[in-house]
């Protein structure tokens, strides 16, 4: 979702703007800001292993750190809270891939796996008036009232999943909670909301995992992109032919006063965003919260004693263990000094939410500690900031609070079935969670 704010000349970023490459910078003088190329680039581990330790290394390296993406594509990661907050709302930081220099000068290899994040049609890659138009059409129908009305259905789906958990137990009594609870709840909610048939859900999840994951080959990611856009195109056509009381039908019908509507490509891009963001992030949020509460049961007892709420659990999880680690991409539209570093125009920038969430400058010397009673002066950035603030934040909060309270009420002795240190990471440097979450329902 892009900023919708003017660039330095007071005009929106032009949709057809193209860059030939960053302007050369003079050699640095004493006291001048650093440049990303003046320090060794950090190679992001595609499997997301050792997230907290890797984030700490990046944060120590600076607020804006050179990194290497798959395919040896250079980028920068924005790792500290204050600078990330500035970047997320900066009027000279764009989202449209026309500003991604390496995508147009041959530097990015053909079939690059992360191309989708840069080029998908929709709010996440639009700027200025285009972004305001797209976001306006979506917010017409994805309203706070519609989200609030979902609560009874979220409660019902949660109860049904909890009823079924004992039946998913393996021979040793363990339940894979990520697969059988944290995933089907948000996926079920977003698919019902969009009018997507239940039979498509598992395949859509598999495809989104390939797209969000950063370990797949270019061919695998391209195939997943083709298939998921094809499936969502069919969903859209079905709703055009037979509109229902669902968000897809409402998006098709939505129009501005001048009659403008979402194009077919924009509709599919919007559905893609809502399917992926609408379940992957909440899946990680629920998983990370359960993991944190089981690892430090004193925090769980604070909630049970009424000294903290489930809302507090969700907000502290979002800060301490953000569901998104490094979200691509933003681009400075001119050489821009950020956090003491000059970032050349057109450089892809990652919003490093998991690193910023544990920034001691924002959250104090105990920023690494999970504390549901924390009342930080700085609000976490896990749902973004500024014009791109996540439209789905209220729904994610609703699902997570309902899920966590119901889970620990139904199974008060629930605990991890393996030591926390043995949980494998989710295979992505974009998503931040564990790959599985084996638990015992009765402790």
């Amino acid at each position: 979702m892009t900023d919708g704010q003017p660039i330095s000349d007071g005009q929106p970023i032009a949709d057809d703007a193209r860059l030939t490459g960053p302007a050369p910078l003079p050699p640095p003088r004493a006291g001048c800001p650093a440049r990303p190329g003046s320090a060794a680039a950090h190679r992001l581990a595609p499997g997301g292993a050792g997230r907290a330790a890797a984030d700490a290394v990046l944060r120590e390296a600076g607020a804006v750190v050179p990194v290497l993406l798959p395919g040896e594509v250079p980028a920068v990661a924005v790792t500290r809270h204050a600078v990330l907050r500035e970047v997320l709302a900066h009027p000279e930081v764009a989202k449209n891939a026309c500003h991604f220099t390496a995508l147009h000068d041959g530097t990015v290899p053909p079939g690059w796996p992360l191309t989708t994040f840069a080029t998908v049609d929709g709010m996440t890659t639009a700027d200025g008036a285009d972004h305001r138009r797209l976001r306006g059409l979506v917010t017409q129908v994805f309203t706070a009232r519609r989200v609030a009305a979902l609560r009874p259905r979220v409660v019902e789906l949660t109860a049904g999943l909890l009823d079924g958990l004992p039946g998913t137990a393996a021979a040793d009594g363990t339940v894979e909670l990520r697969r059988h609870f944290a995933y089907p709840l948000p996926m079920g909610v977003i698919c019902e909301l969009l009018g997507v048939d239940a039979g498509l859900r598992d395949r859509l999840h598999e495809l989104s995992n390939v797209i969000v994951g950063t370990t797949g080959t270019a061919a695998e990611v391209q195939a997943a992109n083709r298939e998921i856009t094809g499936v969502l195109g069919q969903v859209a056509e079905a709703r055009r032919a037979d509109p229902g009381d669902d968000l897809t039908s409402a998006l098709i019908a939505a129009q501005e006063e001048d009659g403008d509507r979402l194009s077919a490509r924009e509709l599919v891009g919007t559905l893609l965003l809502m399917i992926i963001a609408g379940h992957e992030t909440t899946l990680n949020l629920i998983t990370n919260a359960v993991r944190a509460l089981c690892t430090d049961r004193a925090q769980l007892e604070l909630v049970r004693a009424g000294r903290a709420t489930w809302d507090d659990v969700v907000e502290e999880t979002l800060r301490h263990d953000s569901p998104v680690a490094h979200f691509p991409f933003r681009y400075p539209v001119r050489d821009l000094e950020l956090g003491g570093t000059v970032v050349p125009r057109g450089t892809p920038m990652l919003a490093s939410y998991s690193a910023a969430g544990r920034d001691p400058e924002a959250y104090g010397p105990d920023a690494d500690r999970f504390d549901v009673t924390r009342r930080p002066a700085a609000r976490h950035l896990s749902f973004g900031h500024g014009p791109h603030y996540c439209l789905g934040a209220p729904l994610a909060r609703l699902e997570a609070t309902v899920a966590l309270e119901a889970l620990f009420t139904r199974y008060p002795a629930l605990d991890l079935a393996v030591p926390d240190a043995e949980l494998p990471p989710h295979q992505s440097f974009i998503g931040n969670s564990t790959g599985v979450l084996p638990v015992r329902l009765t402790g």
Side-chain angles (χ1 to χ4, degrees), residues 120-163:
V120 63
D121 284 309
M123 292 180 293
T124 57
T125 57
D127 286 310
D130 192 31
H131 172 257
R132 289 192 294 272
R133 178 184 70 86
L134 291 169
R135 190 172 176 107
L137 287 166
V138 175
T139 54
Q140 281 184 33
V141 297
F142 192 43
T143 62
R145 178 178 295 180
R146 186 185 285 266
V147 171
L150 288 172
R151 176 176 285 274
R153 183 56 178 149
V154 173
V155 170
E156 181 182 11
L157 286 172
T158 300
L161 291 169
L162 294 177
D163 289 343

Side-chain angles (χ1 to χ4, degrees), residues 299 302-313 372-373 375:
Q299 298 296 312
L302 288 171
V303 181
R304 287 174 169 160
R307 295 175 57 191
T309 66
W310 291 106
D311 289 331
D312 294 329
V313 172
V372 295
T373 65
R375 297 293 182 269

Side-chain angles (χ1 to χ4, degrees), residues 110-126:
W112 191 47
L114 297 181
T115 298
T116 294
F117 286 94
T119 61
V120 63
D121 284 309
M123 292 180 293
T124 57
T125 57

